[in-house]
Amino acid sequence: MAVAGSVVVIFLFVISILSPWIAPYDPSAINLKKVLVSPSVNHIFGTDQLGRDIFSRMIWGSRISLKVGFVATGISILIGAILGALAGYYGRWVDAIIMRFVDIMLCFPSFFLILAVIAILEPSIWNIMIVIGLTSWMGVTRLVRADFISLKERDFVQAAKIIGAGDFRIIFSHILPNAMASVLVAATLGVAGAILTESALSFLGIGVQPPTPSWGNILTAGKDNIDIAWWLSLYPGLAILITVLGYNLLGEGIRDSLDPRLRD
Amino acid sequence: MLRYTVKRLLFMIPLLIGITIICFAVIHLAPGSPTDMQTSLNPKASLEAKERLKSLYNLDKPLHEQYFLWLKRLAVLDLGNSFSPDRRPVLDKIAERLPITITINVLSMILIMIVAIPIGVLSAVRQDSFFDKATGVFVFVGFAVPTFWLALLLMILFGVNLGWLPISGIRSLNYEYLTPWSAFWDLVKHLIMPVILSAFGGLAGLSRYMRANMLEVIRQDYITTARAKGLSERIVIYKHALRNALLPVITILGLSIPGLIGGSVIFETIFAIPGMGQLFYMSVMSRDYPLVMGILFIGAVLTLLGNLIADMSYAVADPRIRVS
């Protein structure tokens, strides 16, 4: 299954890198003679209300998903790993403050927090990536903290202390590499989550703004034409589903292969 | 129990303060002052609106003073007035929309429980059976499905093609002329899809969790004892094991509250349901600043209350929690 997951992920990478060459049409070329054409040989996923080719828009949309997934997750992993490491390593009041902060952040329905921030800032792709990243680090923090609490008692950490290694070195070059398994799993699953969130935001019209194609904003057109053009709703959602499934499978696979103890 | 309650309530205070600080930070997130934002984003905002924002958040005062003045107003639940033409108090606008959102979320939670718990228990009891594997696949796919997309597909199927269920609002146009019974049925028909969809996200998680719990409980010594006494498998599973496996579910339900509340933005917008989620969406789109902040705050407080209720019910159900 992990193989299937990585095939999907690699496939998506290839598509998004090659999108200018594989997309049969210009994704933003408006053709008013071909408005809402149902799927056919020329337009295998049909066209939208402006006559744009959905297949081409979806190929270009894969770039957005990839970008949002990786940047947002990068931000959340960075924050989560640092805060989790500090909390787990130092314990006491550092731990208390960081973990209360986690509790507070978890009180906010994350979608509410994202929307409120987007309402203030402009809904651009960069803002969305940052906001998704800033609201999704809490799980990583907890994971890394738990790893640090158990790892810091191990002999190799004691040994490092005895030879006089500083806290910084112990945290980043001795303990953190040993906590990478759970971070990597959390990152893979995090990409899936970020892609889902971005598509929901774009669907609501507060994410990636048209004419830039994203899977979520094609679905908005699907909702607007729900009674006449089912293809606008079906295909982009399937793409999201398969992508998220791919990352989830890959994450589970990494979990099983890197650290058998993490298996349920 | 009293000691536990007091402890739990005291624990809420730092969280509540933290919530207010984050809300306050969001207000001041914008580069420049919120009043500048208001005018640059919404050219229609008059000088008067700008002044109102300024007085609402006391923007001419030092930051810490702003915060405490704002806190003082929050304490009496004064969330300011909406920027929409009606200029009604934010609290009133939220209050009239809250019941429908809470109703849908409570119904979804009940649905999650009555579907996910039996699935989890059955797949644990028949571990590795076809049923277990099939639900395993279903759950895995369920985690990956964008629920708003599922909503679109169901709308196309049941709303457009089959015409069985309405796809927007909570009432039909002829609502006022219906008999009480058919009016009720009308409401039910409008709520079926939103409730099922908002429950969908929680189903996968809870059923997996229930399965894991049940598997763990079944391996305990007291289950072996029950079997050794010669009790029937039925009694062992449903009386001895199930009760213990059910306890942690309360916590999971508590944890699912923010997800449900957050999801209400999506479902209420898709199905045009006049609840708090839709109000939030509209306030974000029109940059009705006091309303956005008000709903953000209320959403967080609701989550906090939900978690408190979950913790208290856990303590009622499991005496070990109260003691330790």
Side-chain angles (χ1 to χ4, degrees), chain B residues 298-311:
Chain B
I298 298 282
V301 170
L302 279 181
T303 308
L304 199 61
L305 284 179
N307 283 330
L308 179 73
I309 294 173
D311 281 359

Side-chain angles (χ1 to χ4, degrees), chain B:
Chain B
M1 189 68 202
L2 184 72
R3 254 190 76 186
Y4 179 79
T5 314
V6 172
K7 221 168 94 185
R8 201 58 197 70
L9 284 173
L10 286 178
F11 184 70
M12 271 179 71
I13 295 172
L15 291 183
L16 206 55
I17 295 173
I19 289 174
T20 60
I21 292 177
I22 290 184
C23 285
F24 187 73
V26 171
I27 296 174
H28 288 82
L29 195 71
S33 71
T35 47
D36 292 340
M37 287 302 302
Q38 178 64 17
T39 39
S40 66
L41 289 172
N42 180 1
K44 278 182 276 181
S46 59
L47 207 65
E48 187 214 338
K50 200 171 164 176
E51 284 307 311
R52 276 194 301 147
L53 247 187
K54 208 167 182 174
S55 69
L56 183 62
Y57 296 119
N58 294 297
L59 293 169
D60 45 357
K61 303 226 166 66
L63 207 59
H64 63 278
E65 228 170 287
Q66 285 181 32
Y67 175 68
F68 286 109
L69 285 168
W70 179 69
L71 214 54
K72 232 160 107 184
R73 293 214 336 275
L74 269 189
V76 289
L77 281 176
D78 173 13
L79 298 171
N81 287 351
S82 160
F83 277 164
S84 65
D86 61 15
R87 304 212 168 155
R88 292 175 48 215
V90 166
L91 193 66
D92 292 1
K93 290 194 120 175
I94 297 175
E96 69 187 19
R97 281 165 171 264
L98 207 49
I100 181 78
T101 301
I102 292 183
T103 308
I104 291 180
N105 284 339
V106 168
L107 288 175
S108 333
M109 220 174 229
I110 295 172
L111 187 68
I112 291 175
M113 281 194 283
I114 48 184
V115 177
I117 292 177
I119 289 181
V121 171
L122 273 182
S123 43
V125 173
R126 299 183 198 159
Q127 194 185 2
D128 295 327
S129 66
F130 173 73
F131 178 80
D132 184 26
K133 288 189 175 128
T135 51
V137 171
F138 174 76
V139 163
F140 206 83
V141 175
F143 273 128
V145 173
T147 36
F148 62 93
W149 173 63
L150 195 63
L152 286 183
L153 295 187
L154 292 187
M155 281 165 97
I156 293 177
L157 180 63
F158 294 109
V160 178
N161 289 349
L162 296 171
W164 291 352
L165 295 171
I167 58 172
S168 120
I170 50 165
R171 275 162 196 186
S172 299
L173 290 173
N174 60 351
Y175 182 78
E176 280 151 42
Y177 306 104
L178 296 173
T179 58
W181 172 246
S182 47
F184 175 72
W185 178 237
D186 183 60
L187 183 69
V188 170
K189 267 173 42 180
H190 280 86
L191 289 184
I192 288 177
M193 280 203 281
V195 168
I196 290 180
L197 283 159
S198 83
F200 186 83
L203 279 181
L206 186 67
S207 62
R208 268 305 86 164
Y209 187 76
M210 194 62 214
R211 176 178 179 274
N213 261 346
M214 197 68 186
L215 282 176
E216 201 182 311
V217 168
I218 286 176
R219 293 194 190 111
Q220 300 290 320
D221 288 344
Y222 59 83
I223 296 299
T224 317
T225 313
R227 284 198 178 122
K229 292 203 292 200
L231 292 179
S232 70
E233 190 62 18
R234 200 184 181 76
I235 291 190
V236 173
I237 298 293
Y238 295 103
K239 200 167 166 207
H240 294 239
L242 184 59
R243 284 190 181 180
N244 285 290
L246 272 178
L247 283 174
V249 168
I250 302 173
T251 313
I252 292 295
L253 285 176
L255 291 177
S256 70
I257 295 170
L260 282 174
I261 297 180
S264 64
V265 177
I266 300 176
F267 299 116
E268 291 180 6
T269 307
I270 296 179
F271 290 103
I273 291 167
M276 191 174 74
Q278 192 201 33
L279 183 69
F280 191 46
Y281 174 72
M282 296 191 311
S283 67
V284 166
M285 293 308 270
S286 62
R287 300 185 194 274
D288 187 341
Y289 220 59
L291 198 49
V292 170
M293 297 316 304
I295 298 177
L296 181 65
F297 178 72
I298 298 282
V301 170
L302 279 181
T303 308
L304 199 61
L305 284 179
N307 283 330
L308 179 73
I309 294 173
D311 281 359
M312 299 307 295
S313 348
Y314 201 143
V316 170
D318 188 348
R320 286 171 296 184
I321 300 290
R322 302 198 291 263
V323 178
S324 60

